[in-house]
Amino acid sequence: MSSGGTGDGVYDFCVLGGGIVGVATAHRMLTKFPGASLALVEKESALAAHQTGHNSGVIHSGIYYPPDSLKARLCRAGAAWNKEFAAANDIPFRECGKLLVATDSAELARMRDLYERSITNGVDVEAIDAAELARREPRITGVGALFVPSTGIIDYPKVATALADQVVAMGGRVLLDTPIEAIGETDATVTISGPATSITTRTLVVCAGLQADRMARKAGIRTDFRIVPFRGEYYRLPAARADLVRTLIYPVPDPALPFLGVHLSPTIDGELTVGPNAVLGLAREGYAKGSVSARDAVDVLGFPGFHRVARAHVRTGARELRNSLFKRGYLAECRKYCPELTVADLLPHRAGIRAQAVLRDGSLVHDFLIERTPRSIHVLNAPSPAATSAMPIAEYLVDQL
Ligand SMILES: Cc1cc2nc3c(=O)[nH]c(=O)nc-3n(C[C@H](O)[C@H](O)[C@H](O)COP(=O)(O)OP(=O)(O)OC[C@H]3O[C@@H](n4cnc5c(N)ncnc54)[C@H](O)[C@@H]3O)c2cc1C
């Protein structure tokens, strides 16, 4: 995209990964160190080609996460940052608010816990009863709900592109179509190389999303985790249904799982989507249903942590798989809170694939996970809400340099 040079052929900074976390990191580096030389390196022919371009587009508020977690802190700051950045750069966004709908007494109890957590996390939230829910969203049913007014919607690839344009304007280089296959570090520099490139830098930050564990191993970081790809399949509702709801409608999540459940999401482009589910993927970057990559499948199935996690969540896993294979099961999840939906309402839509770090002992890494070597920082786990939190994550990383 551009060519800012280096004096001695060595960049001050290099960022590997052109998703929103990588682009935000490059932006933050040049903002904090104006005049530094920087290369942002991405293997695809466009930025935001993976998780950043295949998500729900929700600006999360930060209600779910343990108060002492990085997620809680960085998500709140990120929500505010996105709205300000979008307003300043003519990127459409809407603070449409979100309703978390409880559909039975067990969910109502979990909803009350979430209410307490929201207050602890400093996020404005309102508990409403079934009658008030029916007044606000007449097509949605539940025994109670939480309303989070600050939740919004945005197009994250647009945010990433605007950030990248500013990186270029600040003198950074954005190198697309540049896959990296090796990382070598000395006392003074790090060199990353691929089939057609070799780039040397004094400081490297790796934000490789679905490839984070592989990049870490190439850098010699001892990893006791593996990235397990979880597919998130969406449907789109017919245009005639686009005004079904005004706010985002979420179920009350199971706190044992890292995923938030199938939700109804108005998009910033005026569509209404439903999803995503969470099924094991056998290809980290294969978006078509049934995609299998031998290398990715061996990586997951040969990892003891995966078998432990599969055993611990066998019922949830089976349900998710059934709902992925049979539309009626998927529909049943949505009808818990929106009973009028029918199979005919679920039109095909794209899938996303989440990079979820799983430890060898079978536990899922819930928080953002960051490791460093003397000359590099690796973002190892940046699941949702990392799109919302990208700039505060970037500030956190750059503060460590
Ligand atoms: C289905 C789904 C729904 C989600 N919904 C939301 C939401 O509503 N709100 C929210 O805040 N978050 C959401 N998320 C999470 C969010 O999308 C991610 O946390 C975020 O996009 C992570 O950004 P990233 O830059 O770390 O990763 P990515 O966007 O995956 O970027 C990593 C980049 O690194 C590049 N790369 C990898 N290896 C190499 C290599 N060897 N050489 C060169 N380049 C390489 C990849 O090509 C890729 O472009 C969702 C995620 C999914 C999958």
Side-chain angles (χ1 to χ4, degrees), residues 16-17 19-21 42-44 50-52 54-58 60 178 180 207-208 211 215 234 353-354 382-388:
L16 195 168
I20 195 158
V21 176
E42 166 56 49
K43 67 181 162 63
E44 306 292 348
H50 292 294
Q51 295 175 93
T52 301
H54 293 84
N55 61 36
S56 300
V58 174
H60 286 293
T178 308
I180 296 303
C207 310
Q211 310 295 339
M215 290 298 116
Y234 292 86
I353 303 174
R354 308 172 183 86
S384 183
T388 305

PDB file of all heavy atoms in Angstrom, residues 16-17 19-21 42-44 50-52 54-58 60 178 180 207-208 211 215 234 353-354 382-388, ligand 1:
ATOM      1  N   LEU A  16       3.148  -8.295  12.568  1.00  0.00           N
ATOM      2  CA  LEU A  16       2.746  -9.412  11.708  1.00  0.00           C
ATOM      3  C   LEU A  16       1.256  -9.670  11.948  1.00  0.00           C
ATOM      4  O   LEU A  16       0.857 -10.009  13.061  1.00  0.00           O
ATOM      5  CB  LEU A  16       3.577 -10.644  12.079  1.00  0.00           C
ATOM      6  CG  LEU A  16       3.611 -11.823  11.119  1.00  0.00           C
ATOM      7  CD1 LEU A  16       4.712 -12.788  11.519  1.00  0.00           C
ATOM      8  CD2 LEU A  16       2.298 -12.546  11.015  1.00  0.00           C
ATOM      9  N   GLY A  17       0.448  -9.489  10.910  1.00  0.00           N
ATOM     10  CA  GLY A  17      -0.989  -9.741  11.027  1.00  0.00           C
ATOM     11  C   GLY A  17      -1.791  -8.483  10.755  1.00  0.00           C
ATOM     12  O   GLY A  17      -1.694  -7.512  11.493  1.00  0.00           O
ATOM     13  N   GLY A  19      -5.105  -8.084  10.832  1.00  0.00           N
ATOM     14  CA  GLY A  19      -6.445  -7.994  11.423  1.00  0.00           C
ATOM     15  C   GLY A  19      -6.502  -6.726  12.256  1.00  0.00           C
ATOM     16  O   GLY A  19      -5.543  -5.939  12.304  1.00  0.00           O
ATOM     17  N   ILE A  20      -7.608  -6.519  12.937  1.00  0.00           N
ATOM     18  CA  ILE A  20      -7.783  -5.229  13.612  1.00  0.00           C
ATOM     19  C   ILE A  20      -6.793  -5.034  14.758  1.00  0.00           C
ATOM     20  O   ILE A  20      -6.366  -3.910  15.026  1.00  0.00           O
ATOM     21  CB  ILE A  20      -9.251  -5.039  14.074  1.00  0.00           C
ATOM     22  CG1 ILE A  20      -9.484  -3.571  14.417  1.00  0.00           C
ATOM     23  CG2 ILE A  20      -9.622  -5.952  15.228  1.00  0.00           C
ATOM     24  CD1 ILE A  20     -10.927  -3.148  14.370  1.00  0.00           C
ATOM     25  N   VAL A  21      -6.366  -6.126  15.400  1.00  0.00           N
ATOM     26  CA  VAL A  21      -5.420  -5.959  16.506  1.00  0.00           C
ATOM     27  C   VAL A  21      -4.053  -5.537  15.954  1.00  0.00           C
ATOM     28  O   VAL A  21      -3.403  -4.626  16.488  1.00  0.00           O
ATOM     29  CB  VAL A  21      -5.319  -7.253  17.358  1.00  0.00           C
ATOM     30  CG1 VAL A  21      -4.270  -7.095  18.447  1.00  0.00           C
ATOM     31  CG2 VAL A  21      -6.680  -7.585  17.980  1.00  0.00           C
ATOM     32  N   GLU A  42       0.978  -8.752   6.095  1.00  0.00           N
ATOM     33  CA  GLU A  42      -0.248  -9.568   6.059  1.00  0.00           C
ATOM     34  C   GLU A  42      -0.150 -10.555   4.898  1.00  0.00           C
ATOM     35  O   GLU A  42       0.232 -10.187   3.799  1.00  0.00           O
ATOM     36  CB  GLU A  42      -1.459  -8.632   5.894  1.00  0.00           C
ATOM     37  CG  GLU A  42      -2.763  -9.301   5.502  1.00  0.00           C
ATOM     38  CD  GLU A  42      -3.205 -10.402   6.463  1.00  0.00           C
ATOM     39  OE1 GLU A  42      -3.212 -10.174   7.682  1.00  0.00           O
ATOM     40  OE2 GLU A  42      -3.526 -11.511   5.977  1.00  0.00           O
ATOM     41  N   LYS A  43      -0.518 -11.805   5.152  1.00  0.00           N
ATOM     42  CA  LYS A  43      -0.368 -12.814   4.101  1.00  0.00           C
ATOM     43  C   LYS A  43      -1.473 -12.737   3.030  1.00  0.00           C
ATOM     44  O   LYS A  43      -1.276 -13.175   1.911  1.00  0.00           O
ATOM     45  CB  LYS A  43      -0.326 -14.219   4.699  1.00  0.00           C
ATOM     46  CG  LYS A  43      -1.602 -14.719   5.352  1.00  0.00           C
ATOM     47  CD  LYS A  43      -1.366 -16.128   5.902  1.00  0.00           C
ATOM     48  CE  LYS A  43      -2.385 -16.554   6.919  1.00  0.00           C
ATOM     49  NZ  LYS A  43      -3.748 -16.651   6.462  1.00  0.00           N
ATOM     50  N   GLU A  44      -2.627 -12.200   3.383  1.00  0.00           N
ATOM     51  CA  GLU A  44      -3.722 -12.169   2.414  1.00  0.00           C
ATOM     52  C   GLU A  44      -3.602 -10.924   1.514  1.00  0.00           C
ATOM     53  O   GLU A  44      -2.823 -10.024   1.799  1.00  0.00           O
ATOM     54  CB  GLU A  44      -5.076 -12.143   3.131  1.00  0.00           C
ATOM     55  CG  GLU A  44      -5.280 -13.266   4.135  1.00  0.00           C
ATOM     56  CD  GLU A  44      -5.388 -14.659   3.495  1.00  0.00           C
ATOM     57  OE1 GLU A  44      -5.542 -14.751   2.259  1.00  0.00           O
ATOM     58  OE2 GLU A  44      -5.302 -15.647   4.245  1.00  0.00           O
ATOM     59  N   HIS A  50      -9.711 -12.351   7.960  1.00  0.00           N
ATOM     60  CA  HIS A  50     -10.149 -13.488   8.791  1.00  0.00           C
ATOM     61  C   HIS A  50     -11.096 -13.032   9.899  1.00  0.00           C
ATOM     62  O   HIS A  50     -12.142 -12.480   9.591  1.00  0.00           O
ATOM     63  CB  HIS A  50      -8.930 -14.293   9.236  1.00  0.00           C
ATOM     64  CG  HIS A  50      -8.308 -14.986   8.047  1.00  0.00           C
ATOM     65  ND1 HIS A  50      -8.964 -15.983   7.353  1.00  0.00           N
ATOM     66  CD2 HIS A  50      -7.155 -14.760   7.375  1.00  0.00           C
ATOM     67  CE1 HIS A  50      -8.232 -16.371   6.315  1.00  0.00           C
ATOM     68  NE2 HIS A  50      -7.118 -15.638   6.300  1.00  0.00           N
ATOM     69  N   GLN A  51     -10.744 -13.223  11.169  1.00  0.00           N
ATOM     70  CA  GLN A  51     -11.756 -12.939  12.214  1.00  0.00           C
ATOM     71  C   GLN A  51     -12.341 -11.524  12.123  1.00  0.00           C
ATOM     72  O   GLN A  51     -13.542 -11.320  12.306  1.00  0.00           O
ATOM     73  CB  GLN A  51     -11.136 -13.119  13.585  1.00  0.00           C
ATOM     74  CG  GLN A  51     -10.718 -14.561  13.888  1.00  0.00           C
ATOM     75  CD  GLN A  51     -10.015 -14.612  15.220  1.00  0.00           C
ATOM     76  OE1 GLN A  51     -10.640 -14.856  16.228  1.00  0.00           O
ATOM     77  NE2 GLN A  51      -8.721 -14.361  15.228  1.00  0.00           N
ATOM     78  N   THR A  52     -11.477 -10.558  11.816  1.00  0.00           N
ATOM     79  CA  THR A  52     -11.943  -9.164  11.801  1.00  0.00           C
ATOM     80  C   THR A  52     -13.028  -8.941  10.751  1.00  0.00           C
ATOM     81  O   THR A  52     -13.903  -8.097  10.929  1.00  0.00           O
ATOM     82  CB  THR A  52     -10.731  -8.231  11.554  1.00  0.00           C
ATOM     83  OG1 THR A  52      -9.793  -8.466  12.597  1.00  0.00           O
ATOM     84  CG2 THR A  52     -11.123  -6.770  11.521  1.00  0.00           C
ATOM     85  N   HIS A  54     -15.111 -11.386   9.695  1.00  0.00           N
ATOM     86  CA  HIS A  54     -16.150 -12.437   9.783  1.00  0.00           C
ATOM     87  C   HIS A  54     -16.734 -12.456  11.187  1.00  0.00           C
ATOM     88  O   HIS A  54     -16.754 -13.499  11.841  1.00  0.00           O
ATOM     89  CB  HIS A  54     -15.545 -13.814   9.477  1.00  0.00           C
ATOM     90  CG  HIS A  54     -15.095 -13.987   8.069  1.00  0.00           C
ATOM     91  ND1 HIS A  54     -13.863 -13.572   7.612  1.00  0.00           N
ATOM     92  CD2 HIS A  54     -15.716 -14.535   6.993  1.00  0.00           C
ATOM     93  CE1 HIS A  54     -13.756 -13.860   6.326  1.00  0.00           C
ATOM     94  NE2 HIS A  54     -14.856 -14.441   5.931  1.00  0.00           N
ATOM     95  N   ASN A  55     -17.152 -11.314  11.677  1.00  0.00           N
ATOM     96  CA  ASN A  55     -17.707 -11.312  13.037  1.00  0.00           C
ATOM     97  C   ASN A  55     -19.081 -10.653  13.077  1.00  0.00           C
ATOM     98  O   ASN A  55     -19.647 -10.313  12.040  1.00  0.00           O
ATOM     99  CB  ASN A  55     -16.715 -10.695  14.027  1.00  0.00           C
ATOM    100  CG  ASN A  55     -16.376  -9.257  13.699  1.00  0.00           C
ATOM    101  OD1 ASN A  55     -17.230  -8.517  13.234  1.00  0.00           O
ATOM    102  ND2 ASN A  55     -15.135  -8.886  13.931  1.00  0.00           N
ATOM    103  N   SER A  56     -19.603 -10.470  14.276  1.00  0.00           N
ATOM    104  CA  SER A  56     -20.976  -9.946  14.407  1.00  0.00           C
ATOM    105  C   SER A  56     -21.033  -8.430  14.303  1.00  0.00           C
ATOM    106  O   SER A  56     -22.129  -7.854  14.259  1.00  0.00           O
ATOM    107  CB  SER A  56     -21.585 -10.361  15.760  1.00  0.00           C
ATOM    108  OG  SER A  56     -21.633 -11.749  15.882  1.00  0.00           O
ATOM    109  N   GLY A  57     -19.885  -7.784  14.336  1.00  0.00           N
ATOM    110  CA  GLY A  57     -19.879  -6.324  14.219  1.00  0.00           C
ATOM    111  C   GLY A  57     -20.450  -5.616  15.442  1.00  0.00           C
ATOM    112  O   GLY A  57     -20.958  -4.500  15.328  1.00  0.00           O
ATOM    113  N   VAL A  58     -20.330  -6.257  16.589  1.00  0.00           N
ATOM    114  CA  VAL A  58     -20.901  -5.656  17.800  1.00  0.00           C
ATOM    115  C   VAL A  58     -19.800  -4.923  18.584  1.00  0.00           C
ATOM    116  O   VAL A  58     -18.708  -5.447  18.775  1.00  0.00           O
ATOM    117  CB  VAL A  58     -21.544  -6.749  18.689  1.00  0.00           C
ATOM    118  CG1 VAL A  58     -22.014  -6.169  20.026  1.00  0.00           C
ATOM    119  CG2 VAL A  58     -22.715  -7.390  17.950  1.00  0.00           C
ATOM    120  N   HIS A  60     -18.967  -4.316  21.926  1.00  0.00           N
ATOM    121  CA  HIS A  60     -19.385  -4.819  23.243  1.00  0.00           C
ATOM    122  C   HIS A  60     -19.125  -3.770  24.316  1.00  0.00           C
ATOM    123  O   HIS A  60     -18.250  -2.910  24.171  1.00  0.00           O
ATOM    124  CB  HIS A  60     -18.644  -6.119  23.561  1.00  0.00           C
ATOM    125  CG  HIS A  60     -19.162  -7.289  22.771  1.00  0.00           C
ATOM    126  ND1 HIS A  60     -20.422  -7.803  22.958  1.00  0.00           N
ATOM    127  CD2 HIS A  60     -18.599  -8.023  21.780  1.00  0.00           C
ATOM    128  CE1 HIS A  60     -20.622  -8.808  22.116  1.00  0.00           C
ATOM    129  NE2 HIS A  60     -19.525  -8.963  21.379  1.00  0.00           N
ATOM    130  N   THR A 178       1.976 -11.203   1.776  1.00  0.00           N
ATOM    131  CA  THR A 178       3.320 -11.469   2.305  1.00  0.00           C
ATOM    132  C   THR A 178       3.243 -12.498   3.443  1.00  0.00           C
ATOM    133  O   THR A 178       3.268 -12.130   4.624  1.00  0.00           O
ATOM    134  CB  THR A 178       3.952 -10.142   2.807  1.00  0.00           C
ATOM    135  OG1 THR A 178       3.866  -9.169   1.751  1.00  0.00           O
ATOM    136  CG2 THR A 178       5.404 -10.320   3.196  1.00  0.00           C
ATOM    137  N   ILE A 180       4.402 -15.121   6.121  1.00  0.00           N
ATOM    138  CA  ILE A 180       5.632 -15.298   6.895  1.00  0.00           C
ATOM    139  C   ILE A 180       5.711 -16.744   7.368  1.00  0.00           C
ATOM    140  O   ILE A 180       4.749 -17.289   7.912  1.00  0.00           O
ATOM    141  CB  ILE A 180       5.648 -14.313   8.096  1.00  0.00           C
ATOM    142  CG1 ILE A 180       5.683 -12.878   7.585  1.00  0.00           C
ATOM    143  CG2 ILE A 180       6.812 -14.609   9.034  1.00  0.00           C
ATOM    144  CD1 ILE A 180       6.844 -12.523   6.663  1.00  0.00           C
ATOM    145  N   CYS A 207       0.396 -10.552  15.741  1.00  0.00           N
ATOM    146  CA  CYS A 207      -1.055 -10.572  16.010  1.00  0.00           C
ATOM    147  C   CYS A 207      -1.667 -11.474  14.947  1.00  0.00           C
ATOM    148  O   CYS A 207      -2.357 -10.999  14.041  1.00  0.00           O
ATOM    149  CB  CYS A 207      -1.652  -9.173  15.908  1.00  0.00           C
ATOM    150  SG  CYS A 207      -0.755  -7.921  16.849  1.00  0.00           S
ATOM    151  N   ALA A 208      -1.392 -12.775  15.036  1.00  0.00           N
ATOM    152  CA  ALA A 208      -1.686 -13.676  13.916  1.00  0.00           C
ATOM    153  C   ALA A 208      -2.992 -14.434  14.067  1.00  0.00           C
ATOM    154  O   ALA A 208      -3.275 -15.342  13.286  1.00  0.00           O
ATOM    155  CB  ALA A 208      -0.523 -14.647  13.712  1.00  0.00           C
ATOM    156  N   GLN A 211      -3.501 -18.215  13.557  1.00  0.00           N
ATOM    157  CA  GLN A 211      -2.182 -18.853  13.410  1.00  0.00           C
ATOM    158  C   GLN A 211      -1.266 -18.506  14.592  1.00  0.00           C
ATOM    159  O   GLN A 211      -0.054 -18.743  14.528  1.00  0.00           O
ATOM    160  CB  GLN A 211      -1.509 -18.405  12.101  1.00  0.00           C
ATOM    161  CG  GLN A 211      -2.371 -18.511  10.865  1.00  0.00           C
ATOM    162  CD  GLN A 211      -2.734 -19.954  10.524  1.00  0.00           C
ATOM    163  OE1 GLN A 211      -2.053 -20.892  10.946  1.00  0.00           O
ATOM    164  NE2 GLN A 211      -3.808 -20.135   9.779  1.00  0.00           N
ATOM    165  N   MET A 215       2.883 -19.285  14.944  1.00  0.00           N
ATOM    166  CA  MET A 215       3.871 -18.198  14.880  1.00  0.00           C
ATOM    167  C   MET A 215       4.697 -18.175  16.169  1.00  0.00           C
ATOM    168  O   MET A 215       5.905 -17.934  16.143  1.00  0.00           O
ATOM    169  CB  MET A 215       3.164 -16.851  14.671  1.00  0.00           C
ATOM    170  CG  MET A 215       2.548 -16.683  13.303  1.00  0.00           C
ATOM    171  SD  MET A 215       3.784 -16.729  11.975  1.00  0.00           S
ATOM    172  CE  MET A 215       3.294 -18.172  11.096  1.00  0.00           C
ATOM    173  N   TYR A 234     -23.733 -18.297  10.724  1.00  0.00           N
ATOM    174  CA  TYR A 234     -24.826 -17.317  10.809  1.00  0.00           C
ATOM    175  C   TYR A 234     -25.891 -17.637   9.777  1.00  0.00           C
ATOM    176  O   TYR A 234     -25.622 -18.276   8.757  1.00  0.00           O
ATOM    177  CB  TYR A 234     -24.313 -15.917  10.458  1.00  0.00           C
ATOM    178  CG  TYR A 234     -23.355 -15.283  11.438  1.00  0.00           C
ATOM    179  CD1 TYR A 234     -21.990 -15.538  11.354  1.00  0.00           C
ATOM    180  CD2 TYR A 234     -23.824 -14.410  12.408  1.00  0.00           C
ATOM    181  CE1 TYR A 234     -21.108 -14.928  12.232  1.00  0.00           C
ATOM    182  CE2 TYR A 234     -22.947 -13.793  13.289  1.00  0.00           C
ATOM    183  CZ  TYR A 234     -21.585 -14.054  13.196  1.00  0.00           C
ATOM    184  OH  TYR A 234     -20.718 -13.459  14.063  1.00  0.00           O
ATOM    185  N   ILE A 353     -14.720 -17.861  11.893  1.00  0.00           N
ATOM    186  CA  ILE A 353     -14.000 -18.902  12.649  1.00  0.00           C
ATOM    187  C   ILE A 353     -13.232 -18.226  13.776  1.00  0.00           C
ATOM    188  O   ILE A 353     -12.409 -17.332  13.541  1.00  0.00           O
ATOM    189  CB  ILE A 353     -13.049 -19.700  11.731  1.00  0.00           C
ATOM    190  CG1 ILE A 353     -13.857 -20.318  10.586  1.00  0.00           C
ATOM    191  CG2 ILE A 353     -12.318 -20.789  12.530  1.00  0.00           C
ATOM    192  CD1 ILE A 353     -13.029 -21.015   9.535  1.00  0.00           C
ATOM    193  N   ARG A 354     -13.548 -18.656  15.009  1.00  0.00           N
ATOM    194  CA  ARG A 354     -12.898 -18.051  16.176  1.00  0.00           C
ATOM    195  C   ARG A 354     -11.613 -18.784  16.499  1.00  0.00           C
ATOM    196  O   ARG A 354     -11.567 -20.019  16.477  1.00  0.00           O
ATOM    197  CB  ARG A 354     -13.797 -18.167  17.408  1.00  0.00           C
ATOM    198  CG  ARG A 354     -15.214 -17.660  17.245  1.00  0.00           C
ATOM    199  CD  ARG A 354     -15.946 -18.052  18.511  1.00  0.00           C
ATOM    200  NE  ARG A 354     -17.349 -17.721  18.516  1.00  0.00           N
ATOM    201  CZ  ARG A 354     -18.312 -18.483  18.012  1.00  0.00           C
ATOM    202  NH1 ARG A 354     -18.018 -19.616  17.397  1.00  0.00           N
ATOM    203  NH2 ARG A 354     -19.568 -18.126  18.110  1.00  0.00           N
ATOM    204  N   ALA A 382      -6.772 -13.733  21.405  1.00  0.00           N
ATOM    205  CA  ALA A 382      -7.511 -12.461  21.311  1.00  0.00           C
ATOM    206  C   ALA A 382      -8.903 -12.722  20.746  1.00  0.00           C
ATOM    207  O   ALA A 382      -9.253 -12.272  19.659  1.00  0.00           O
ATOM    208  CB  ALA A 382      -6.758 -11.462  20.439  1.00  0.00           C
ATOM    209  N   PRO A 383      -9.711 -13.483  21.516  1.00  0.00           N
ATOM    210  CA  PRO A 383     -11.074 -13.749  21.038  1.00  0.00           C
ATOM    211  C   PRO A 383     -11.983 -12.568  21.333  1.00  0.00           C
ATOM    212  O   PRO A 383     -11.525 -11.540  21.860  1.00  0.00           O
ATOM    213  CB  PRO A 383     -11.476 -14.968  21.875  1.00  0.00           C
ATOM    214  CG  PRO A 383     -10.735 -14.798  23.166  1.00  0.00           C
ATOM    215  CD  PRO A 383      -9.457 -14.045  22.842  1.00  0.00           C
ATOM    216  N   SER A 384     -13.255 -12.703  21.033  1.00  0.00           N
ATOM    217  CA  SER A 384     -14.218 -11.638  21.324  1.00  0.00           C
ATOM    218  C   SER A 384     -14.090 -11.249  22.796  1.00  0.00           C
ATOM    219  O   SER A 384     -13.922 -12.128  23.647  1.00  0.00           O
ATOM    220  CB  SER A 384     -15.639 -12.147  21.057  1.00  0.00           C
ATOM    221  OG  SER A 384     -16.567 -11.109  21.269  1.00  0.00           O
ATOM    222  N   PRO A 385     -14.080 -10.005  23.153  1.00  0.00           N
ATOM    223  CA  PRO A 385     -14.362  -8.812  22.377  1.00  0.00           C
ATOM    224  C   PRO A 385     -13.099  -8.099  21.881  1.00  0.00           C
ATOM    225  O   PRO A 385     -12.963  -6.889  22.037  1.00  0.00           O
ATOM    226  CB  PRO A 385     -15.094  -7.928  23.384  1.00  0.00           C
ATOM    227  CG  PRO A 385     -14.355  -8.205  24.679  1.00  0.00           C
ATOM    228  CD  PRO A 385     -13.908  -9.644  24.593  1.00  0.00           C
ATOM    229  N   ALA A 386     -12.195  -8.831  21.216  1.00  0.00           N
ATOM    230  CA  ALA A 386     -10.938  -8.190  20.815  1.00  0.00           C
ATOM    231  C   ALA A 386     -11.119  -7.214  19.663  1.00  0.00           C
ATOM    232  O   ALA A 386     -10.287  -6.325  19.479  1.00  0.00           O
ATOM    233  CB  ALA A 386      -9.883  -9.231  20.461  1.00  0.00           C
ATOM    234  N   ALA A 387     -12.190  -7.338  18.878  1.00  0.00           N
ATOM    235  CA  ALA A 387     -12.403  -6.308  17.851  1.00  0.00           C
ATOM    236  C   ALA A 387     -12.774  -4.999  18.541  1.00  0.00           C
ATOM    237  O   ALA A 387     -12.216  -3.938  18.238  1.00  0.00           O
ATOM    238  CB  ALA A 387     -13.486  -6.754  16.868  1.00  0.00           C
ATOM    239  N   THR A 388     -13.696  -5.087  19.499  1.00  0.00           N
ATOM    240  CA  THR A 388     -14.057  -3.899  20.284  1.00  0.00           C
ATOM    241  C   THR A 388     -12.824  -3.317  20.976  1.00  0.00           C
ATOM    242  O   THR A 388     -12.628  -2.101  21.014  1.00  0.00           O
ATOM    243  CB  THR A 388     -15.083  -4.294  21.381  1.00  0.00           C
ATOM    244  OG1 THR A 388     -16.194  -4.933  20.771  1.00  0.00           O
ATOM    245  CG2 THR A 388     -15.527  -3.088  22.183  1.00  0.00           C
TER     246      THR A 388
HETATM  247  C1  LIG B   1     -17.926 -15.448  14.515  1.00  0.00           C
HETATM  248  C2  LIG B   1     -17.236 -14.360  15.285  1.00  0.00           C
HETATM  249  C3  LIG B   1     -17.986 -13.329  15.864  1.00  0.00           C
HETATM  250  C4  LIG B   1     -17.341 -12.324  16.588  1.00  0.00           C
HETATM  251  N1  LIG B   1     -18.056 -11.248  17.022  1.00  0.00           N
HETATM  252  C5  LIG B   1     -17.406 -10.221  17.604  1.00  0.00           C
HETATM  253  C6  LIG B   1     -18.083  -9.021  17.934  1.00  0.00           C
HETATM  254  O1  LIG B   1     -19.259  -8.849  17.617  1.00  0.00           O
HETATM  255  N2  LIG B   1     -17.412  -8.035  18.590  1.00  0.00           N
HETATM  256  C7  LIG B   1     -16.085  -8.172  18.921  1.00  0.00           C
HETATM  257  O2  LIG B   1     -15.524  -7.270  19.552  1.00  0.00           O
HETATM  258  N3  LIG B   1     -15.388  -9.284  18.576  1.00  0.00           N
HETATM  259  C8  LIG B   1     -16.016 -10.277  17.908  1.00  0.00           C
HETATM  260  N4  LIG B   1     -15.320 -11.381  17.503  1.00  0.00           N
HETATM  261  C9  LIG B   1     -13.897 -11.473  17.807  1.00  0.00           C
HETATM  262  C10 LIG B   1     -13.062 -10.600  16.887  1.00  0.00           C
HETATM  263  O3  LIG B   1     -13.463 -10.694  15.541  1.00  0.00           O
HETATM  264  C11 LIG B   1     -11.597 -11.010  17.043  1.00  0.00           C
HETATM  265  O4  LIG B   1     -11.307 -11.065  18.409  1.00  0.00           O
HETATM  266  C12 LIG B   1     -10.662 -10.013  16.363  1.00  0.00           C
HETATM  267  O5  LIG B   1     -11.058  -9.800  15.025  1.00  0.00           O
HETATM  268  C13 LIG B   1      -9.238 -10.527  16.429  1.00  0.00           C
HETATM  269  O6  LIG B   1      -8.447  -9.717  15.605  1.00  0.00           O
HETATM  270  P1  LIG B   1      -6.970 -10.172  15.241  1.00  0.00           P
HETATM  271  O7  LIG B   1      -6.347  -9.044  14.515  1.00  0.00           O
HETATM  272  O8  LIG B   1      -6.324 -10.676  16.481  1.00  0.00           O
HETATM  273  O9  LIG B   1      -7.152 -11.464  14.343  1.00  0.00           O
HETATM  274  P2  LIG B   1      -7.529 -11.634  12.751  1.00  0.00           P
HETATM  275  O10 LIG B   1      -8.581 -10.670  12.344  1.00  0.00           O
HETATM  276  O11 LIG B   1      -7.831 -13.068  12.581  1.00  0.00           O
HETATM  277  O12 LIG B   1      -6.195 -11.231  12.041  1.00  0.00           O
HETATM  278  C14 LIG B   1      -5.015 -12.010  12.076  1.00  0.00           C
HETATM  279  C15 LIG B   1      -4.297 -11.754  10.758  1.00  0.00           C
HETATM  280  O13 LIG B   1      -3.009 -12.354  10.786  1.00  0.00           O
HETATM  281  C16 LIG B   1      -2.729 -12.792   9.477  1.00  0.00           C
HETATM  282  N5  LIG B   1      -1.692 -13.833   9.525  1.00  0.00           N
HETATM  283  C17 LIG B   1      -1.742 -14.998  10.213  1.00  0.00           C
HETATM  284  N6  LIG B   1      -0.631 -15.720   9.993  1.00  0.00           N
HETATM  285  C18 LIG B   1       0.139 -15.003   9.139  1.00  0.00           C
HETATM  286  C19 LIG B   1       1.409 -15.257   8.525  1.00  0.00           C
HETATM  287  N7  LIG B   1       2.088 -16.385   8.735  1.00  0.00           N
HETATM  288  N8  LIG B   1       1.922 -14.299   7.703  1.00  0.00           N
HETATM  289  C20 LIG B   1       1.250 -13.125   7.489  1.00  0.00           C
HETATM  290  N9  LIG B   1       0.030 -12.867   8.029  1.00  0.00           N
HETATM  291  C21 LIG B   1      -0.518 -13.787   8.854  1.00  0.00           C
HETATM  292  C22 LIG B   1      -4.054 -13.365   9.008  1.00  0.00           C
HETATM  293  O14 LIG B   1      -4.124 -13.515   7.595  1.00  0.00           O
HETATM  294  C23 LIG B   1      -5.041 -12.361   9.574  1.00  0.00           C
HETATM  295  O15 LIG B   1      -5.359 -11.332   8.646  1.00  0.00           O
HETATM  296  C24 LIG B   1     -15.938 -12.386  16.770  1.00  0.00           C
HETATM  297  C25 LIG B   1     -15.185 -13.404  16.155  1.00  0.00           C
HETATM  298  C26 LIG B   1     -15.832 -14.359  15.394  1.00  0.00           C
HETATM  299  C27 LIG B   1     -15.000 -15.373  14.670  1.00  0.00           C
END
